[in-house]
Amino acid sequence: QVQLQESGPGLVKPSETLSLTCTVSDYSITSGYYWDWIRQPPGKGLEWIGSIYQSGSTYYNPSLKSRVTMSVDTSKNQFSLRLSSVTAADTAVYYCARAGATIFGAFDPWGQGTLVTVSS
Amino acid sequence: DIQMTQSPSSLSASVGDRVTITCRASQSISSFLNWYQQKPGKAPELLIYGASNLQSGVPSRFSGSGSGTDFTLTLSSLQPEDFATYYCQQTYSTPRCSFGQGTKLEIK
């Protein structure tokens, strides 16, 4: 059963770059599917950040596009998120997920999420 | 961009009640509408995909309907474990997507 696990610093200073990695277990990231990042500020709703395909093709939320970079490392079966010039508004739980073509692009499964706080 | 609007934002109900949550898209999204349940401190879990398809392992008291711009999630008989926040998501523009603002279902 495929599992996803986010990892990275829980605290990032304002103006710096947030970096997170999602490790995929029991499924090869090269076997297809889009791999996504989603975030949720404390007490608020879900915001899609972006998606990456195994080939490295990327698609970003227009509201974050200028600050987001996603990449994939097939040798480690991981994909990553970088968000530059962070502010307190980027404080959120960050989730990674797999988007399934056979389920209308829905996200399943999700990682457990990791809280990233932006503060000096 | 496709905007998703859920209603109501919050809802109080009792165990055994039938509950309906609505999601409206700003343009037609065919059947590319998914529903998630999120409990406090947990990641969202997929309930319904493609507007009406029940994800494996999800109880049959959950059902979804709709197409085009208007969709509903129905819980036929609320159980204690159903009190959570529910989100709709459009994947018509996949791989781009967007979520509704969420509906918090609370115990009356």
Side-chain angles (χ1 to χ4, degrees):
Chain A
Q1 181 177 351
V2 59
Q3 293 184 314
L4 287 75
Q5 178 69 57
E6 305 87 352
S7 60
L11 181 64
V12 181
K13 290 182 169 56
S15 80
E16 295 190 345
T17 296
L18 177 160
S19 295
L20 296 174
T21 296
C22 182
T23 301
V24 181
S25 302
D26 296 323
Y27 186 85
S28 173
I29 205 168
T30 61
S31 296
Y33 291 99
Y34 285 94
W35 304 90
D36 290 67
W37 287 98
I38 307 98
R39 71 179 182 179
Q40 184 172 39
K44 296 187 177 181
L46 301 167
E47 179 181 33
W48 176 72
I49 299 171
S51 180
I52 187 166
Y53 193 61
Q54 59 175 30
S55 63
S57 298
T58 53
Y59 307 84
Y60 301 139
N61 186 323
S63 69
L64 299 169
K65 186 175 182 178
S66 63
R67 299 193 292 130
V68 172
T69 303
M70 293 177 64
S71 60
V72 63
D73 186 338
T74 56
S75 67
K76 295 182 179 179
N77 218 39
Q78 297 174 335
F79 61 104
S80 299
L81 169 71
R82 288 172 57 86
L83 181 66
S84 64
S85 305
V86 297
T87 69
D90 295 310
T91 294
V93 175
Y94 285 76
Y95 297 100
C96 57
R98 183 183 73 174
T102 59
I103 52 173
F104 285 73
F107 294 167
D108 183 72
W110 295 58
Q112 66 183 27
T114 186
L115 174 63
V116 178
T117 301
V118 178
S119 175
S120 56
Chain B
D1 294 356
I2 301 174
Q3 308 300 320
M4 306 302 295
T5 304
Q6 283 182 240
S7 60
S9 297
S10 63
L11 177 61
S12 294
S14 301
V15 173
D17 282 355
R18 179 183 179 90
V19 167
T20 297
I21 298 169
T22 297
C23 183
R24 174 165 289 176
S26 60
Q27 67 180 71
S28 177
I29 57 171
S30 185
S31 295
F32 286 83
L33 190 284
N34 313 306
W35 290 98
Y36 299 86
Q37 178 193 68
Q38 186 180 33
K39 296 182 179 179
K42 299 295 186 181
E45 293 186 352
L46 179 64
L47 296 174
I48 303 280
Y49 63 90
S52 61
N53 300 286
L54 199 65
Q55 175 67 339
S56 176
V58 174
S60 59
R61 62 181 180 271
F62 291 91
S63 65
S65 65
S67 66
T69 60
D70 295 315
F71 303 86
T72 58
L73 172 68
T74 300
L75 290 73
S76 60
S77 178
L78 277 175
Q79 298 302 300
E81 61 268 29
D82 299 338
F83 292 94
T85 300
Y86 294 84
Y87 293 93
C88 65
Q89 175 205 30
Q90 69 80 17
T91 47
Y92 180 77
S93 52
T94 196
R96 298 173 181 85
C97 71
S98 51
F99 292 93
Q101 80 277 20
T103 295
K104 187 173 184 179
L105 178 55
E106 299 175 303
I107 300 175
K108 185 182 289 183

